[in-house]
C-alpha cells in the first residue's frame, strides 16, 4: 500500500493527560530495554523526517528512562572524508548494536536516497542502486536477529515555517537551524518526490515504515513512543528469565544470616 504523507497532516491535539500517558509509555519502554538486556537481544530504532519535525524531542523522551550503558544515540550528518572513501553503508555498520543494546539513529542510511539524491551528492546510478542496497542491508540485520523500527516524522510546510521562526527568535534555540535548513525548505517539492520513491521502494514486508503526524508535538511524541514500544515488544521475550540457582542460594543464605542478627 502506497504511503501518502498528506494523510498525516491533521495535527490533532493529544486527547488525554499527556504527562500520565508519557510516564506510562516510558515505563513500558524501560521494561522493554531490560528485556533486551537480560535476553541479550538487539534493536535499532531509526527516525527520519523533515527538519524541525520533532525527531530530537521524540528521542529525548524515548531514552529518558533507559539505562545509559545499554543504548546509544547516533546523530547522522554529512559523511566525513574517511567515510566518503568507503561504501555509504560502511559508517552505519560501525554503529550497529551489540547483544543487549538498543541503538537509535537520528537520520540514517536513507540520506543516500533523500538529501544525497536531491542535492546531487550521489549520482543517479548511485541513489537508484541505493534502494536495493538498503533493502538488503536491512534484511541482513533482521535475519541476524536485530529488530528494526523505522519511523518517518512528517510536518506541513506551514508548521515547519512556524518552528523555524520560533527557533530563530529564541537565541538559545537558534543554533538548531542553519542556512542549509532554509535551502532544503526551498526544495520541498523535490524532497517530496524523493520521499515518495523511498517509501515505494523500501516499505518492505520485513522492514515497514511507520509515519508519524508530527504537526502536534505532544500527540506525535506519544504516537511515536507507542509505535516503538508496540513493535519492540513483539520481537523480544517480555517474561524475565529464571533466577540463577547460585544467586538464589546466596540471597537465601544472606537473608538467613540477617535474620539471625
Amino acid at each position: 500500500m502506497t504511503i501518502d504523507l498528506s494523510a498525516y497532516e491533521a495535527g490533532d491535539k493529544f486527547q488525554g493527560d499527556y504527562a500520565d500517558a508519557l510516564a506510562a509509555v516510558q515505563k513500558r519502554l524501560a521494561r522493554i530495554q531490560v528485556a533486551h538486556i537480560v535476553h541479550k537481544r538487539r534493536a535499532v530504532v531509526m527516525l527520519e523526517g523533515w527538519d524541525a519535525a520533532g525527531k530530537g524531542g521524540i528521542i529525548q523522551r524515548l531514552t529518558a528512562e533507559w539505562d545509559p550503558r545499554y543504548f546509544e544515540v547516533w546523530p547522522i550528518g554529512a559523511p566525513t572524508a574517511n567515510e566518503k572513501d568507503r561504501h555509504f553503508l560502511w559508517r552505519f555498520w560501525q554503529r550497529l548494536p551489540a547483544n543487549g543494546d538498543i541503538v537509535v539513529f537520528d537520520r540514517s542510511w536513507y540520506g543516500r536516497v533523500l538529501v544525497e539524491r536531491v542535492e546531487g551528492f550521489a549520482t543517479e546510478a548511485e541513489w537508484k542502486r541505493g534502494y536495493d542496497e538498503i533493502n538488503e542491508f536491512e534484511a541482513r540485520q533482521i535475519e541476524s536477529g536485530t529488530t528494526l523500527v523505522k519511523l518517518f516524522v512528517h510536518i506541513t510546510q506551514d508548521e515547519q515555517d512556524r518552528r523555524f521562526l520560533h527557533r530563530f527568535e529564541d537565541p538559545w534555540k537558534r543554533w538548531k537551524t542553519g542556512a542549509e535548513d532554509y535551502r532544503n525548505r526551498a526544495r520541498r517539492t523535490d524532497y517530496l518526490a524523493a520521499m515518495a520513491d523511498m517509501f515505494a521502494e523500501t516499505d518492505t514486508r520485513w522492514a515497514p515504515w511507520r509515519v508519524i503526524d508530527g504537526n502536534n508535538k505532544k500527540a506525535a511524541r506519544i504516537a511515536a513512543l507507542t509505535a516503538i514500544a508496540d513493535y519492540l515488544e513483539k520481537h523480544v521475550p517480555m517474561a524475565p528469565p529464571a533466577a540463577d540457582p547460585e544467586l538464589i542460594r546466596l540471597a537465601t543464605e544472606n537473608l538467613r544470616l540477617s535474620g539471625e542478627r
Side-chain angles (χ1 to χ4, degrees):
M1 183 175 179
T2 302
I3 291 175
D4 180 3
L5 289 179
S6 67
Y8 301 89
E9 296 182 345
D12 293 335
K13 293 182 178 180
F14 179 70
Q15 299 300 314
D17 188 298
Y18 171 72
D20 286 350
L22 180 60
V25 73
Q26 287 177 331
K27 183 177 180 179
R28 281 182 67 195
L29 287 162
R31 185 64 57 84
I32 289 168
Q33 188 202 27
V34 173
H36 281 78
I37 295 168
V38 299
H39 293 295
K40 300 187 183 303
R41 299 298 181 89
R42 56 187 182 271
V44 170
V45 178
M46 182 272 289
L47 287 91
E48 283 287 351
W50 298 98
D51 297 324
K55 298 183 296 299
I58 291 170
I59 292 170
Q60 180 183 357
R61 288 156 183 83
L62 169 66
T63 61
E65 299 297 326
W66 280 359
D67 187 319
R69 296 172 296 175
Y70 296 96
F71 80 88
E72 188 77 54
V73 176
W74 293 111
I76 301 301
T80 65
N82 184 46
E83 291 166 342
K84 288 179 180 178
D85 286 342
R86 293 167 167 81
H87 189 278
F88 81 96
L89 289 171
W90 178 81
R91 61 174 171 156
F92 301 105
W93 277 102
Q94 313 306 306
R95 293 171 167 85
L96 294 175
N99 288 339
D101 291 348
I102 300 175
V103 163
V104 182
F105 284 94
D106 183 354
R107 297 198 185 278
S108 68
W109 42 93
Y110 281 96
R112 171 53 53 111
V113 297
L114 292 176
V115 64
E116 293 183 30
R117 166 184 169 171
V118 174
E119 303 299 335
F121 299 142
T123 66
E124 183 174 357
E126 287 173 333
W127 61 258
K128 284 186 173 181
R129 186 171 64 242
Y131 299 123
D132 285 339
E133 292 174 317
I134 286 169
N135 288 337
E136 290 171 6
F137 169 73
E138 293 177 349
R140 286 186 182 184
Q141 308 319 312
I142 294 160
E143 289 167 0
S144 70
T146 300
T147 302
L148 173 61
V149 185
K150 302 192 310 191
L151 296 187
F152 187 93
V153 188
H154 178 60
I155 55 174
T156 64
Q157 183 68 82
D158 286 346
E159 180 61 25
Q160 185 184 52
D161 288 344
R162 281 192 288 271
R163 295 184 187 183
F164 280 171
L165 180 61
H166 176 69
R167 287 180 177 182
F168 179 77
E169 291 177 337
D170 185 339
W172 291 105
K173 292 185 177 180
R174 199 172 294 158
W175 65 275
K176 288 186 174 184
T177 301
E180 68 177 39
D181 293 322
Y182 289 97
R183 287 195 293 268
N184 292 344
R185 179 206 178 282
R187 304 198 64 177
R188 188 178 179 92
T189 300
D190 296 330
Y191 275 99
L192 284 169
M195 290 166 185
D197 288 344
M198 176 188 75
F199 291 133
E201 297 288 344
T202 65
D203 184 33
T204 59
R205 172 180 50 80
W206 57 90
W209 280 100
R210 286 159 180 77
V211 179
I212 301 297
D213 180 347
N215 291 284
N216 179 278
K217 287 186 177 182
K218 290 184 177 181
R221 291 164 184 167
I222 299 300
L225 268 58
T226 301
I228 294 167
D230 288 347
Y231 199 77
L232 291 179
E233 277 184 341
K234 291 179 181 178
H235 294 83
V236 65
M238 290 305 297
D244 182 351
E246 177 62 12
L247 180 60
I248 294 175
R249 186 190 67 77
L250 291 170
T252 302
E253 178 67 14
N254 182 69
L255 290 172
R256 183 184 65 81
L257 293 174
S258 297
E260 293 176 353
R261 289 199 290 270

